[in-house]
Amino acid sequence: MLWIQAAGEKMKSMVAVLGLSKFGRSLAEELAAGGAEVMVVDNNDVVVNQMSDKVTHAIVADLTDVEAIKSLGLGNMDVVVVAMSMNLEASIMSIMVAREDGAKKVIAKAKNDRMEEILLRIGADDVIQPEKEYGQRIAKTLTVSNFVEFFEITENLAIVELKPKASWVGKNLKELRLRNRFGVNVLCIKKDGKLSSDIDPDESLKEDQDLLILVDRTNLRQVVE
């Protein structure tokens, strides 16, 4: 959770999320769950209504209309997140107005390097490319020696086949506490080239036994390194 200090007291940060794509919705929900005061804005009234009970303010507005953006009061925000990577015009307008109104920090989402360069030039403090960054993380993960296969199931979950780390060999699943440490569920163990779901948590792992695990992708690198 983000905090700002005022008059000797801790105050919740105020964040505006402009654009309710899957990324924008997920970000807004996480921020609100963490205690921030969140305002979400989109031109789709259906999506805005779906978010109305999850955030502090949910507003329907045309983010290509300068006057509509100015009416949002972005200058009162600690952070403005411009999450419309598929709409360059709306992203540019929103960043420019947020800057003119005095928003403390402006973060934008881009779909490619060229868009990132443009958004930085017009005033974004930081630009993110979630798809590119995730791809880079997975690419690095693929080079890890104990990694065998990766299957993305949802945005958050993946099934991974990997060889046990050297530090795991000779220990059983109870001792390793993979679920508690990494949020990992061991689905199967490959024995003699065949996957088996008949898992004995007291049986020590062997070097030649691959594991098939279900893991939150945010924990993936900790598990495979």
Side-chain angles (χ1 to χ4, degrees), residues 121-142:
R121 283 180 179 274
I122 63 168
D125 294 298
D126 194 13
V127 176
I128 57 173
Q129 293 186 51
E131 294 85 358
K132 177 182 178 180
E133 291 165 11
Y134 176 55
Q136 290 172 338
R137 288 199 299 270
I138 291 300
K140 290 177 182 177
T141 299
L142 291 171

PDB file of all heavy atoms in Angstrom, residues 121-142:
ATOM      1  N   ARG A 121       7.851  11.333 -23.762  1.00  0.00           N
ATOM      2  CA  ARG A 121       8.140  12.665 -24.276  1.00  0.00           C
ATOM      3  C   ARG A 121       7.067  13.678 -23.884  1.00  0.00           C
ATOM      4  O   ARG A 121       7.371  14.862 -23.690  1.00  0.00           O
ATOM      5  CB  ARG A 121       8.275  12.627 -25.803  1.00  0.00           C
ATOM      6  CG  ARG A 121       9.601  12.070 -26.288  1.00  0.00           C
ATOM      7  CD  ARG A 121       9.671  12.069 -27.802  1.00  0.00           C
ATOM      8  NE  ARG A 121      10.941  11.569 -28.283  1.00  0.00           N
ATOM      9  CZ  ARG A 121      12.037  12.316 -28.452  1.00  0.00           C
ATOM     10  NH1 ARG A 121      11.989  13.599 -28.161  1.00  0.00           N
ATOM     11  NH2 ARG A 121      13.146  11.792 -28.905  1.00  0.00           N
ATOM     12  N   ILE A 122       5.812  13.240 -23.776  1.00  0.00           N
ATOM     13  CA  ILE A 122       4.750  14.204 -23.470  1.00  0.00           C
ATOM     14  C   ILE A 122       4.511  14.354 -21.970  1.00  0.00           C
ATOM     15  O   ILE A 122       3.631  15.101 -21.559  1.00  0.00           O
ATOM     16  CB  ILE A 122       3.427  13.832 -24.172  1.00  0.00           C
ATOM     17  CG1 ILE A 122       2.905  12.483 -23.666  1.00  0.00           C
ATOM     18  CG2 ILE A 122       3.588  13.841 -25.671  1.00  0.00           C
ATOM     19  CD1 ILE A 122       1.496  12.205 -24.106  1.00  0.00           C
ATOM     20  N   GLY A 123       5.283  13.608 -21.140  1.00  0.00           N
ATOM     21  CA  GLY A 123       5.209  13.903 -19.723  1.00  0.00           C
ATOM     22  C   GLY A 123       4.986  12.764 -18.752  1.00  0.00           C
ATOM     23  O   GLY A 123       4.938  12.990 -17.547  1.00  0.00           O
ATOM     24  N   ALA A 124       4.859  11.528 -19.228  1.00  0.00           N
ATOM     25  CA  ALA A 124       4.722  10.413 -18.288  1.00  0.00           C
ATOM     26  C   ALA A 124       6.010  10.245 -17.493  1.00  0.00           C
ATOM     27  O   ALA A 124       7.110  10.338 -18.052  1.00  0.00           O
ATOM     28  CB  ALA A 124       4.405   9.122 -19.037  1.00  0.00           C
ATOM     29  N   ASP A 125       5.879  10.012 -16.189  1.00  0.00           N
ATOM     30  CA  ASP A 125       7.060   9.770 -15.356  1.00  0.00           C
ATOM     31  C   ASP A 125       7.641   8.384 -15.616  1.00  0.00           C
ATOM     32  O   ASP A 125       8.847   8.179 -15.536  1.00  0.00           O
ATOM     33  CB  ASP A 125       6.692   9.874 -13.873  1.00  0.00           C
ATOM     34  CG  ASP A 125       6.290  11.288 -13.504  1.00  0.00           C
ATOM     35  OD1 ASP A 125       7.128  12.187 -13.628  1.00  0.00           O
ATOM     36  OD2 ASP A 125       5.128  11.485 -13.097  1.00  0.00           O
ATOM     37  N   ASP A 126       6.756   7.459 -15.909  1.00  0.00           N
ATOM     38  CA  ASP A 126       7.193   6.081 -16.129  1.00  0.00           C
ATOM     39  C   ASP A 126       6.208   5.424 -17.084  1.00  0.00           C
ATOM     40  O   ASP A 126       5.016   5.752 -17.088  1.00  0.00           O
ATOM     41  CB  ASP A 126       7.225   5.319 -14.802  1.00  0.00           C
ATOM     42  CG  ASP A 126       7.981   4.001 -14.902  1.00  0.00           C
ATOM     43  OD1 ASP A 126       8.692   3.792 -15.912  1.00  0.00           O
ATOM     44  OD2 ASP A 126       7.843   3.174 -13.991  1.00  0.00           O
ATOM     45  N   VAL A 127       6.706   4.520 -17.906  1.00  0.00           N
ATOM     46  CA  VAL A 127       5.860   3.784 -18.853  1.00  0.00           C
ATOM     47  C   VAL A 127       6.149   2.302 -18.701  1.00  0.00           C
ATOM     48  O   VAL A 127       7.311   1.894 -18.605  1.00  0.00           O
ATOM     49  CB  VAL A 127       6.116   4.225 -20.309  1.00  0.00           C
ATOM     50  CG1 VAL A 127       5.285   3.376 -21.276  1.00  0.00           C
ATOM     51  CG2 VAL A 127       5.771   5.698 -20.488  1.00  0.00           C
ATOM     52  N   ILE A 128       5.091   1.509 -18.669  1.00  0.00           N
ATOM     53  CA  ILE A 128       5.258   0.063 -18.532  1.00  0.00           C
ATOM     54  C   ILE A 128       4.665  -0.643 -19.742  1.00  0.00           C
ATOM     55  O   ILE A 128       3.722  -0.160 -20.362  1.00  0.00           O
ATOM     56  CB  ILE A 128       4.588  -0.463 -17.241  1.00  0.00           C
ATOM     57  CG1 ILE A 128       3.103  -0.106 -17.222  1.00  0.00           C
ATOM     58  CG2 ILE A 128       5.286   0.082 -16.007  1.00  0.00           C
ATOM     59  CD1 ILE A 128       2.341  -0.716 -16.074  1.00  0.00           C
ATOM     60  N   GLN A 129       5.270  -1.779 -20.077  1.00  0.00           N
ATOM     61  CA  GLN A 129       4.748  -2.670 -21.103  1.00  0.00           C
ATOM     62  C   GLN A 129       4.600  -4.043 -20.458  1.00  0.00           C
ATOM     63  O   GLN A 129       5.516  -4.865 -20.530  1.00  0.00           O
ATOM     64  CB  GLN A 129       5.692  -2.741 -22.297  1.00  0.00           C
ATOM     65  CG  GLN A 129       5.833  -1.462 -23.092  1.00  0.00           C
ATOM     66  CD  GLN A 129       6.660  -1.659 -24.341  1.00  0.00           C
ATOM     67  OE1 GLN A 129       6.424  -2.568 -25.148  1.00  0.00           O
ATOM     68  NE2 GLN A 129       7.658  -0.809 -24.524  1.00  0.00           N
ATOM     69  N   PRO A 130       3.478  -4.314 -19.788  1.00  0.00           N
ATOM     70  CA  PRO A 130       3.337  -5.562 -19.027  1.00  0.00           C
ATOM     71  C   PRO A 130       3.591  -6.824 -19.848  1.00  0.00           C
ATOM     72  O   PRO A 130       4.252  -7.748 -19.376  1.00  0.00           O
ATOM     73  CB  PRO A 130       1.879  -5.511 -18.549  1.00  0.00           C
ATOM     74  CG  PRO A 130       1.550  -4.063 -18.528  1.00  0.00           C
ATOM     75  CD  PRO A 130       2.287  -3.465 -19.687  1.00  0.00           C
ATOM     76  N   GLU A 131       3.078  -6.853 -21.077  1.00  0.00           N
ATOM     77  CA  GLU A 131       3.259  -8.061 -21.892  1.00  0.00           C
ATOM     78  C   GLU A 131       4.734  -8.289 -22.220  1.00  0.00           C
ATOM     79  O   GLU A 131       5.242  -9.409 -22.127  1.00  0.00           O
ATOM     80  CB  GLU A 131       2.442  -7.959 -23.187  1.00  0.00           C
ATOM     81  CG  GLU A 131       0.947  -7.955 -22.989  1.00  0.00           C
ATOM     82  CD  GLU A 131       0.397  -6.560 -22.695  1.00  0.00           C
ATOM     83  OE1 GLU A 131       1.197  -5.584 -22.615  1.00  0.00           O
ATOM     84  OE2 GLU A 131      -0.831  -6.442 -22.526  1.00  0.00           O
ATOM     85  N   LYS A 132       5.430  -7.207 -22.562  1.00  0.00           N
ATOM     86  CA  LYS A 132       6.861  -7.313 -22.885  1.00  0.00           C
ATOM     87  C   LYS A 132       7.658  -7.725 -21.658  1.00  0.00           C
ATOM     88  O   LYS A 132       8.528  -8.598 -21.724  1.00  0.00           O
ATOM     89  CB  LYS A 132       7.356  -5.967 -23.406  1.00  0.00           C
ATOM     90  CG  LYS A 132       8.851  -5.919 -23.703  1.00  0.00           C
ATOM     91  CD  LYS A 132       9.261  -4.542 -24.179  1.00  0.00           C
ATOM     92  CE  LYS A 132      10.755  -4.454 -24.425  1.00  0.00           C
ATOM     93  NZ  LYS A 132      11.162  -3.101 -24.884  1.00  0.00           N
ATOM     94  N   GLU A 133       7.347  -7.090 -20.509  1.00  0.00           N
ATOM     95  CA  GLU A 133       8.083  -7.389 -19.290  1.00  0.00           C
ATOM     96  C   GLU A 133       7.858  -8.819 -18.837  1.00  0.00           C
ATOM     97  O   GLU A 133       8.784  -9.494 -18.379  1.00  0.00           O
ATOM     98  CB  GLU A 133       7.679  -6.393 -18.205  1.00  0.00           C
ATOM     99  CG  GLU A 133       8.168  -4.977 -18.495  1.00  0.00           C
ATOM    100  CD  GLU A 133       7.491  -3.929 -17.641  1.00  0.00           C
ATOM    101  OE1 GLU A 133       6.790  -4.311 -16.685  1.00  0.00           O
ATOM    102  OE2 GLU A 133       7.668  -2.733 -17.926  1.00  0.00           O
ATOM    103  N   TYR A 134       6.609  -9.298 -18.982  1.00  0.00           N
ATOM    104  CA  TYR A 134       6.330 -10.687 -18.607  1.00  0.00           C
ATOM    105  C   TYR A 134       7.069 -11.646 -19.537  1.00  0.00           C
ATOM    106  O   TYR A 134       7.644 -12.644 -19.097  1.00  0.00           O
ATOM    107  CB  TYR A 134       4.835 -10.955 -18.652  1.00  0.00           C
ATOM    108  CG  TYR A 134       4.468 -12.386 -18.363  1.00  0.00           C
ATOM    109  CD1 TYR A 134       4.890 -13.009 -17.192  1.00  0.00           C
ATOM    110  CD2 TYR A 134       3.722 -13.130 -19.274  1.00  0.00           C
ATOM    111  CE1 TYR A 134       4.570 -14.328 -16.926  1.00  0.00           C
ATOM    112  CE2 TYR A 134       3.392 -14.446 -19.009  1.00  0.00           C
ATOM    113  CZ  TYR A 134       3.817 -15.037 -17.836  1.00  0.00           C
ATOM    114  OH  TYR A 134       3.505 -16.340 -17.589  1.00  0.00           O
ATOM    115  N   GLY A 135       7.074 -11.325 -20.842  1.00  0.00           N
ATOM    116  CA  GLY A 135       7.790 -12.171 -21.791  1.00  0.00           C
ATOM    117  C   GLY A 135       9.271 -12.246 -21.475  1.00  0.00           C
ATOM    118  O   GLY A 135       9.900 -13.303 -21.585  1.00  0.00           O
ATOM    119  N   GLN A 136       9.845 -11.121 -21.067  1.00  0.00           N
ATOM    120  CA  GLN A 136      11.271 -11.103 -20.710  1.00  0.00           C
ATOM    121  C   GLN A 136      11.542 -11.959 -19.482  1.00  0.00           C
ATOM    122  O   GLN A 136      12.553 -12.660 -19.408  1.00  0.00           O
ATOM    123  CB  GLN A 136      11.722  -9.661 -20.474  1.00  0.00           C
ATOM    124  CG  GLN A 136      11.776  -8.829 -21.745  1.00  0.00           C
ATOM    125  CD  GLN A 136      12.033  -7.358 -21.477  1.00  0.00           C
ATOM    126  OE1 GLN A 136      11.775  -6.867 -20.370  1.00  0.00           O
ATOM    127  NE2 GLN A 136      12.520  -6.644 -22.465  1.00  0.00           N
ATOM    128  N   ARG A 137      10.614 -11.899 -18.499  1.00  0.00           N
ATOM    129  CA  ARG A 137      10.792 -12.714 -17.295  1.00  0.00           C
ATOM    130  C   ARG A 137      10.730 -14.196 -17.633  1.00  0.00           C
ATOM    131  O   ARG A 137      11.519 -15.000 -17.143  1.00  0.00           O
ATOM    132  CB  ARG A 137       9.724 -12.359 -16.255  1.00  0.00           C
ATOM    133  CG  ARG A 137       9.916 -11.008 -15.608  1.00  0.00           C
ATOM    134  CD  ARG A 137       9.145 -10.907 -14.308  1.00  0.00           C
ATOM    135  NE  ARG A 137       7.718 -11.070 -14.513  1.00  0.00           N
ATOM    136  CZ  ARG A 137       6.892 -10.056 -14.770  1.00  0.00           C
ATOM    137  NH1 ARG A 137       7.351  -8.830 -14.864  1.00  0.00           N
ATOM    138  NH2 ARG A 137       5.599 -10.272 -14.912  1.00  0.00           N
ATOM    139  N   ILE A 138       9.772 -14.554 -18.508  1.00  0.00           N
ATOM    140  CA  ILE A 138       9.641 -15.962 -18.889  1.00  0.00           C
ATOM    141  C   ILE A 138      10.866 -16.409 -19.685  1.00  0.00           C
ATOM    142  O   ILE A 138      11.372 -17.516 -19.503  1.00  0.00           O
ATOM    143  CB  ILE A 138       8.360 -16.189 -19.710  1.00  0.00           C
ATOM    144  CG1 ILE A 138       7.130 -16.004 -18.813  1.00  0.00           C
ATOM    145  CG2 ILE A 138       8.341 -17.586 -20.330  1.00  0.00           C
ATOM    146  CD1 ILE A 138       7.075 -16.948 -17.627  1.00  0.00           C
ATOM    147  N   ALA A 139      11.364 -15.534 -20.566  1.00  0.00           N
ATOM    148  CA  ALA A 139      12.549 -15.883 -21.351  1.00  0.00           C
ATOM    149  C   ALA A 139      13.728 -16.180 -20.444  1.00  0.00           C
ATOM    150  O   ALA A 139      14.492 -17.128 -20.661  1.00  0.00           O
ATOM    151  CB  ALA A 139      12.893 -14.753 -22.318  1.00  0.00           C
ATOM    152  N   LYS A 140      13.890 -15.359 -19.397  1.00  0.00           N
ATOM    153  CA  LYS A 140      14.975 -15.601 -18.447  1.00  0.00           C
ATOM    154  C   LYS A 140      14.746 -16.906 -17.708  1.00  0.00           C
ATOM    155  O   LYS A 140      15.671 -17.678 -17.458  1.00  0.00           O
ATOM    156  CB  LYS A 140      15.055 -14.433 -17.457  1.00  0.00           C
ATOM    157  CG  LYS A 140      15.557 -13.141 -18.078  1.00  0.00           C
ATOM    158  CD  LYS A 140      15.550 -12.012 -17.062  1.00  0.00           C
ATOM    159  CE  LYS A 140      16.014 -10.712 -17.698  1.00  0.00           C
ATOM    160  NZ  LYS A 140      15.948  -9.576 -16.750  1.00  0.00           N
ATOM    161  N   THR A 141      13.497 -17.169 -17.374  1.00  0.00           N
ATOM    162  CA  THR A 141      13.166 -18.394 -16.663  1.00  0.00           C
ATOM    163  C   THR A 141      13.505 -19.629 -17.495  1.00  0.00           C
ATOM    164  O   THR A 141      13.968 -20.641 -16.979  1.00  0.00           O
ATOM    165  CB  THR A 141      11.662 -18.413 -16.314  1.00  0.00           C
ATOM    166  OG1 THR A 141      11.372 -17.309 -15.464  1.00  0.00           O
ATOM    167  CG2 THR A 141      11.273 -19.689 -15.607  1.00  0.00           C
ATOM    168  N   LEU A 142      13.299 -19.512 -18.811  1.00  0.00           N
ATOM    169  CA  LEU A 142      13.539 -20.660 -19.686  1.00  0.00           C
ATOM    170  C   LEU A 142      15.007 -21.066 -19.741  1.00  0.00           C
ATOM    171  O   LEU A 142      15.329 -22.169 -20.167  1.00  0.00           O
ATOM    172  CB  LEU A 142      13.042 -20.344 -21.102  1.00  0.00           C
ATOM    173  CG  LEU A 142      11.526 -20.237 -21.267  1.00  0.00           C
ATOM    174  CD1 LEU A 142      11.170 -19.716 -22.642  1.00  0.00           C
ATOM    175  CD2 LEU A 142      10.859 -21.583 -21.036  1.00  0.00           C
TER     176      LEU A 142
END
